[in-house]
Amino acid sequence: VQLQASGGGLVQPGGSLRLSCVASGNIFYIRDMGWYRQSPGKQRELVAVITDGGSPNYADSVKGRFTISRDNSKNTVYLQMSSLDPEDTAVYYCHAEIRLAVGAHASGFWGRGTQVTVSS
């Protein structure tokens, strides 16, 4: 199983970016999908997560600015980021809880990360 994230880059404060993450491989079912971020000297933190039913949850720091969504037919999760602030600068990682077979427990998988830099 692989998670491939894309969409990062350099953006000015107040700008927007959309991240995408596609899961591929021997996938039976995907449960929660989410985004985490890590900036230098800090621990990795949850940004947003969305259940297989489409219910989202957000870190307080991004509520009202970021929107997480998913397309189950494409095994893809998105993160629309708006009103970006330099404090949002970090490597963003996607994560998914994936069942590999009928009756199997879900295992967690990570993508390799995509850099988001917010700077003027």
Side-chain angles (χ1 to χ4, degrees), residues 43-101:
Q43 290 188 331
R44 190 173 298 188
E45 63 176 359
L46 173 70
V47 176
V49 64
I50 186 167
T51 68
D52 50 358
S55 296
N57 277 291
Y58 299 93
D60 288 343
S61 59
V62 307
K63 282 181 181 177
R65 302 188 297 122
F66 291 10
T67 301
I68 190 170
S69 60
R70 63 189 284 174
D71 184 336
N72 292 332
S73 68
K74 296 180 180 179
N75 290 344
T76 301
V77 62
Y78 306 96
L79 186 69
Q80 178 66 48
M81 305 183 293
S82 303
S83 301
L84 282 161
D85 183 270
E87 290 293 314
D88 297 313
T89 295
V91 178
Y92 283 70
Y93 298 90
C94 60
H95 180 268
E97 296 285 334
I98 299 175
R99 292 173 61 190
L100 302 181

Side-chain angles (χ1 to χ4, degrees), residues 28-44:
F28 173 70
Y29 188 78
I30 302 177
R31 295 181 56 186
D32 293 359
M33 303 184 82
W35 291 94
Y36 291 71
R37 67 186 181 187
Q38 188 169 20
S39 50
K42 295 185 178 180
Q43 290 188 331
R44 190 173 298 188

